Amino acid sequence: MAGEPIAVERGPNESSIAEVIAARTLAWGREVQAIELAPNINLPHALYPYLVPLYGPDDVWLAETLDIAHAERLEAQSQGIAGMGRSTQRIGAWVHSSARPEVIAAAISDLLRLRCECSSPLRYQRLADSRVMLWAAHIAGKTAVGAALGPIQRWNCLSASGRLIEIQGCQEAPIPLRWTTAQLRQFLKGELIHAAAARYLGELSLRGLDVLPAESTLPNRVDAALSRAQEMAVTLQLKVLRPEDQTALAALLLLHAEQAVELSCREALFVSNEIDSEPMSRDLSLHELAPHLNEKLFENFP
C-alpha cells in the first residue's frame, strides 16, 4: 500500500510514523507493518508505503483490495483520450513470503532505494506503484527485479490492461537493482508511458473495441508512439509540447494510421497559406484538440 485506499482517521500528529501506523491498523482491523524509508528520502510519513497482512485466499480484504485496485486502474482510463490518463493507484502489489513482516518490509524498503551508475539527485523509486514496478521489470527484466526481491517469493501486481502479473523472487540474498545511465533515462519516462497507455486503453474500452494489445508488446508500442509524437511535433512546428499534448498525440498514433493523424493535426493546427504565410495556431493544445481529432479520424477511417 502507498497512501490510503480505505478511509483512515488520522490523529493530529502525522509527523509521527507510529501514529500513522496506529491509525492504519485501526482502519484495517489488523496490525499493519510500516516500511521505513532511507533517511535521505524526503517523503511525508502519510505517504510511506506499508504492508497489510492477508490470511489465505478467503480473506475478505483480498477480494476487496483487488476491487479497489481495478477501480483505481479504470479511473485513469475512464475518459479515454479526453482524459489525462492519470489516477492515484494506492495498492501496489500482493506479495507472498514465508518471512516475518518486518523482514519483508526491510526488503521492500531497500528495493525502493534508487541506485544507478551515474550521478543523480534521485533517491526513491516508487515501485510500490504497480505501474512503476512493471515498467522497471520491462526495462531491467523480470529476472533482475526478482533477484532484488530477497525473501519475497512472489510479487503480483495489476497491469494497465487489468491482468495480474507475477514476478518471482529468487529467495536468496537480494541483488539490488542498479540502473545504467541509459536504463535510468528510460525508467524516468514512466509517467508519460503510463498516461499514454491509459488514454489509449481507455479509448478502446469506451468504444467497445475488443483489440487489447499483448501485454508484452504494449510498453514498446507506447514508447515508440511517444517518440514519434515528439518527432511529429517538430515537423508540425509546434511552439509547445506539454506532457499531456505528447501523450494525447501518442494515443492518437496508437489508435490510427500515422499519416492520417499527421494530416488531421495539420488541418487543425494551421491556417491555409493562402490566408497567411505564417502559422497562427501552433501553440494550440493537442490535449484539448485530441477528442475532436479522434472523432474525425474514426469517422473518416473506421
Side-chain angles (χ1 to χ4, degrees):
M1 306 292 173
E4 313 301 355
I6 64 171
V8 174
E9 291 188 15
R10 296 262 177 75
N13 185 16
E14 289 194 2
S15 63
S16 164
I17 186 65
E19 187 163 316
V20 170
I21 289 298
R24 288 169 168 170
T25 293
L26 183 63
W28 287 94
R30 58 192 65 187
E31 188 170 352
V32 305
Q33 176 67 48
I35 297 175
E36 295 282 356
L37 299 180
N40 60 356
I41 296 175
N42 185 20
L43 199 67
H45 286 140
L47 295 181
Y48 273 35
Y50 61 102
L51 293 170
V52 176
L54 298 176
Y55 303 104
D58 296 325
D59 192 311
V60 65
W61 280 119
L62 176 58
E64 185 72 18
T65 52
L66 278 166
D67 287 346
I68 293 170
H70 274 294
E72 292 184 337
R73 174 185 67 86
L74 291 174
E75 183 183 345
Q77 302 176 13
S78 61
Q79 297 181 65
I81 204 165
M84 296 289 284
R86 299 173 186 162
S87 70
T88 302
Q89 297 187 20
R90 290 160 288 200
I91 298 176
W94 296 264
V95 302
H96 182 270
S97 176
S98 57
R100 298 187 308 276
E102 62 272 21
V103 174
I104 302 170
I108 295 175
S109 175
D110 189 65
L111 185 67
L112 300 180
R113 290 180 58 195
L114 189 145
R115 300 173 173 89
C116 60
E117 66 179 18
C118 58
S119 177
S120 171
L122 302 175
R123 297 290 180 268
Y124 181 54
Q125 50 190 12
R126 199 161 41 89
L127 300 183
D129 184 313
S130 59
R131 296 164 295 190
V132 183
M133 174 57 104
L134 290 175
W135 181 233
H138 174 75
I139 296 168
K142 280 188 176 182
T143 301
V145 173
L149 295 180
I152 299 171
Q153 294 157 358
R154 294 192 297 276
W155 183 292
N156 294 279
C157 48
L158 205 58
S159 74
S161 54
R163 302 184 182 104
L164 272 175
I165 306 296
E166 181 175 285
I167 300 172
Q168 292 190 344
C170 63
Q171 301 178 56
E172 298 175 358
I175 303 172
L177 274 178
R178 185 176 296 277
W179 300 111
T180 66
T181 303
Q183 285 177 327
L184 181 61
R185 190 181 304 115
Q186 187 74 353
F187 182 61
L188 296 179
K189 292 168 66 175
E191 289 289 343
L192 290 173
I193 295 284
H194 311 323
R199 297 177 82 162
Y200 166 54
L201 294 173
E203 193 64 30
L204 291 178
S205 178
L206 289 174
R207 292 182 179 272
L209 300 174
D210 189 20
V211 287
L212 278 180
E215 202 76 57
S216 59
T217 64
L218 181 61
N220 286 337
R221 288 187 61 207
V222 175
D223 191 21
L226 285 165
S227 296
R228 184 67 191 106
Q230 270 191 318
E231 294 166 358
M232 193 176 288
V234 175
T235 302
L236 296 170
Q237 299 180 357
L238 297 180
K239 289 182 180 178
V240 178
L241 186 71
R242 300 171 302 172
E244 57 267 36
D245 298 324
Q246 188 177 357
T247 59
L249 187 50
L252 287 172
L253 288 166
L254 288 162
L255 290 161
H256 306 284
E258 181 179 322
Q259 188 175 4
V261 172
E262 184 170 351
L263 179 60
S264 294
C265 288
R266 286 189 183 280
E267 290 175 349
L269 291 170
F270 297 125
V271 297
S272 170
N273 285 336
E274 294 177 4
I275 299 173
D276 196 320
S277 60
E278 289 297 323
M280 295 175 62
S281 304
R282 288 177 180 167
D283 58 349
L284 287 181
S285 166
L286 276 175
H287 166 65
E288 295 170 4
L289 284 172
H292 170 70
L293 297 177
N294 190 46
E295 288 298 331
K296 285 187 64 178
L297 286 162
F298 271 113
E299 288 173 11
N300 298 329
F301 307 97

